[in-house]
């Protein structure tokens, strides 16, 4: 049992590390690792993976908040969208065939990944520069400033497309509520595409946000008895350690590097979603 | 940027650090006890998942109950963060964000009550 716990712990460190870098939680690594490598029942793997999302979010956000990469106001505003979306998604799940939705959302995510890749090729993947902030962004004081450890400069940023961001978050919430995966990817994309935030702010803020919705679902799993302590304990501890390390590394990476890691991860998730829809 | 939001970020950071440290410590204690003694405190593969079962297990210092208590602390950390934001924004006299945060909290509670989030 010690060996098994240790193996799970080590994989969880990797999950937490990558999850905190790209703002997606560790779920995409934890669930397949537990089911495929250790033959754990999918029910308990999902329970552990929801806890891993909370662990990634909380562990990394300690540093992201302190260094002001995670924008608390933006997160709070957008959580209206994700929380409403999650409820909508859960209600819709009875009405639609989820296989169609997996394919539609999966294709959309794949298209977004391609788009980001295309931009990376053409513009070199540098951060957006917003000249004039959205009027609502000014009113809600969404703009911010952080010290970029990669370039050793103070970066001020303004925020565009607030409505687009909130609507994007609503769909991100639907995705997590309905399909259980892909939510974090849509969050980062909505902040990047509509609000034109610096990449590090997008991933750190997404990372900060995912813990809240995951906590709400984890509570349900917990009281249904689907959080198995012997599996989830090493997952939680490993992911916490990994995310604390990941958050330190991320600060020193240039925005471009984060995009380069983010794109294949998103492509992988979208293929996972399409796969689930087809089979 | 104003200096206020820097303070806000630090308060949030410290809240999360406290939540994470407490839960990790409790989980480690439970896991070590489980691995050293080999006893979960419960028959077979079973473990507690109601609050009363959980706490009666914690009082008896059962490994699984301690681990689950730590996981419950971890689970509560982000929720505490949202609850605390209401007070933090209130103290900052940032009433727009007090309303926004309350709205988020309300939606989350509604979702949990509906068992749908």
């Amino acid at each position: 049992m010690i060996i098994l716990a240790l193996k799970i712990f080590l994989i969880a460190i990797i999950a937490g590390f990558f999850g905190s870098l790209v703002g997606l939680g560790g779920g995409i690594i934890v669930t397949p690792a537990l089911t495929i490598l250790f033959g754990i029942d999918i029910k308990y793997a999902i329970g552990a993976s929801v806890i891993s999302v909370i662990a990634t979010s909380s562990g990394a956000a300690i540093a992201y908040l302190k260094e002001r990469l995670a924008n608390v106001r933006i997160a709070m505003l957008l959580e209206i969208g994700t929380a409403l979306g999650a409820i909508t998604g859960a209600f819709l799940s009875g009405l639609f065939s989820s296989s169609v939705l997996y394919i539609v959302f999966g294709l959309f995510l794949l298209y977004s990944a391609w788009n980001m890749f295309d931009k990376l090729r053409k513009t070199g993947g540098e951060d957006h520069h917003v000249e004039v902030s959205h009027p609502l962004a000014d009113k809600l004081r969404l703009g911010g400033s952080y010290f970029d450890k990669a370039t050793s400069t103070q970066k001020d940023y303004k925020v565009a497309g607030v409505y687009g961001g909130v609507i994007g978050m609503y769909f991100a919430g639907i995705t997590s509520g309905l399909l259980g995966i892909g939510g974090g990817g849509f969050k980062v994309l909505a902040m990047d595409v509509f609000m034109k935030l610096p990449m590090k702010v997008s991933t750190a803020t997404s990372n900060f946000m995912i813990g809240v919705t995951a906590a709400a679902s984890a509570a349900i799993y917990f009281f249904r008895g689907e959080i198995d302590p012997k599996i989830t304990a090493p997952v939680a501890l490993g992911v916490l350690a990994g995310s604390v390390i990941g958050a330190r590394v991320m600060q020193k990476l240039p925005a471009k590097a984060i995009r380069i890691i983010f794109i294949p991860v998103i492509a992988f998730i979208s293929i996972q979603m399409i796969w689930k829809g087809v089979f | 940027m104003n200096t206020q939001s820097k303070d806000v970020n630090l308060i949030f950071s410290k809240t999360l650090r406290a939540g994470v440290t407490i839960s990790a410590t409790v989980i480690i204690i439970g896991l070590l006890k489980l691995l050293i003694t080999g006893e979960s405190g419960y028959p077979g593969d079973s473990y507690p998942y109601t609050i009363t079962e959980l706490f009666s297990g914690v009082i008896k210092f059962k490994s699984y109950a301690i681990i689950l208590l730590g996981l419950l602390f971890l689970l509560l950390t982000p929720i505490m963060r949202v609850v605390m934001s209401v007070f933090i924004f209130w103290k900052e006299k940032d009433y727009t964000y007090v309303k926004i945060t309350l709205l988020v909290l309300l939606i989350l509670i509604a979702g949990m009550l509906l068992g749908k989030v």
Side-chain angles (χ1 to χ4, degrees):
Chain A
M1 188 144 88
I2 294 180
I3 303 294
L4 177 69
L6 206 61
K7 280 184 186 164
I8 295 178
F9 177 72
L10 291 176
I11 287 181
I13 293 179
I14 300 170
F17 179 81
F18 281 104
S20 61
L21 282 190
V22 289
L24 304 179
I28 48 158
I29 296 176
V30 168
T31 316
L34 290 181
T35 51
I36 297 165
L37 295 181
F38 304 113
I40 288 162
D41 189 333
I42 182 78
K43 194 165 84 175
Y44 302 109
I46 291 175
S49 126
V50 179
I51 293 288
S52 84
V53 176
I54 302 173
T56 313
S57 172
S58 309
I62 297 170
Y64 290 160
L65 286 165
K66 201 172 143 223
E67 305 299 332
R68 303 175 77 192
L69 283 169
N71 186 315
V72 175
R73 286 170 202 278
I74 293 180
M76 218 32 117
L77 177 70
L78 296 182
E79 267 159 19
I80 298 175
T82 46
L84 276 179
I87 295 180
T88 313
F91 272 109
L92 288 178
S93 65
L95 303 174
F96 289 98
S97 130
S98 59
S99 60
V100 176
L101 292 163
Y102 271 121
I103 296 170
V104 172
F105 280 84
L107 284 174
F108 182 68
L109 203 57
L110 193 61
Y111 168 75
S112 312
W114 168 255
N115 238 346
M116 205 186 231
F117 175 68
D118 199 41
K119 246 187 233 161
L120 184 74
R121 257 188 339 178
K122 284 174 186 154
T123 63
E126 290 309 313
D127 276 333
H128 309 279
H129 186 73
V130 180
E131 290 288 345
V132 185
S133 46
H134 189 277
L136 197 59
D138 275 338
K139 205 181 151 221
L140 294 172
R141 294 192 286 149
L142 295 179
S145 171
Y146 67 97
F147 184 76
D148 190 349
K149 288 188 181 169
T151 55
S152 294
T153 48
Q154 188 70 28
K155 276 199 175 173
D156 300 321
Y157 61 90
K158 290 178 180 158
V159 181
V162 176
Y163 294 121
V166 174
I167 292 166
M169 287 300 152
Y170 180 67
F171 282 98
I174 291 185
T175 321
S176 8
L178 194 57
L179 308 175
I181 56 167
F186 282 113
K187 285 192 184 76
V188 176
L189 284 166
M191 283 187 263
D192 185 56
V193 175
F194 297 112
M195 305 177 85
K196 305 213 179 297
L197 297 175
M199 191 61 185
K200 286 185 180 182
V201 175
S202 298
T203 56
T205 306
S206 161
N207 189 86
F208 180 56
M209 292 173 65
I210 52 178
V212 178
T213 14
S217 16
I220 293 162
Y221 289 112
F222 192 95
F223 294 114
R224 261 198 231 146
E226 288 171 13
I227 307 281
D228 186 334
K230 67 174 177 300
I231 303 162
T232 318
V235 167
L237 294 174
V239 167
L240 279 176
S243 65
V244 170
I245 303 165
R248 278 167 191 262
V249 172
M250 183 271 225
Q251 294 175 44
K252 299 198 172 80
L253 291 177
K256 189 184 172 181
I258 294 166
R259 278 181 202 275
I260 292 172
I261 303 167
F262 182 77
I263 293 168
V265 172
I266 283 295
F268 175 73
I269 299 172
S270 59
I271 289 163
Q272 237 183 359
M273 289 171 82
I274 296 166
W275 183 274
K276 271 197 177 178
V278 175
F279 297 102
Chain B
M1 277 305 288
N2 51 29
T3 50
Q4 283 190 343
S5 91
K6 184 160 195 175
D7 296 338
V8 168
N9 272 39
L10 278 182
I11 299 168
F12 279 121
S13 174
K14 281 178 184 159
T15 312
L16 288 182
R17 182 184 287 159
V20 165
T21 312
I22 293 168
S23 32
T25 311
V26 176
I27 297 170
I28 290 170
I29 293 171
L31 188 62
L32 283 180
K33 182 164 188 275
L34 174 71
L35 294 178
I36 291 166
T37 64
E39 279 167 25
S40 71
Y42 294 87
D45 268 341
S46 67
Y47 48 84
Y49 54 84
T50 62
I51 287 289
T52 41
E53 270 178 359
L54 182 68
F55 282 106
S56 74
V58 171
I59 292 165
K60 289 172 194 144
F61 209 63
K62 293 182 175 182
S63 315
Y64 271 3
I66 300 166
I67 294 177
L68 285 166
L69 181 71
L71 291 172
L72 193 62
F73 284 150
L74 184 63
L75 193 160
L76 289 174
T77 302
I79 298 175
M80 277 309 293
R81 187 270 278 176
V82 181
V83 175
M84 266 195 62
S85 332
V86 179
F87 297 104
I88 294 171
F89 286 127
W90 184 275
K91 228 184 108 207
E92 299 280 320
K93 296 194 170 54
D94 198 339
Y95 300 114
T96 316
Y97 278 90
V98 172
K99 283 178 210 154
I100 290 174
T101 311
L102 282 174
L103 184 61
V104 171
L105 209 56
L106 213 73
I107 299 167
L108 286 175
I109 292 168
M112 281 166 89
L113 289 179
L114 293 165
K116 292 285 188 181
V117 168

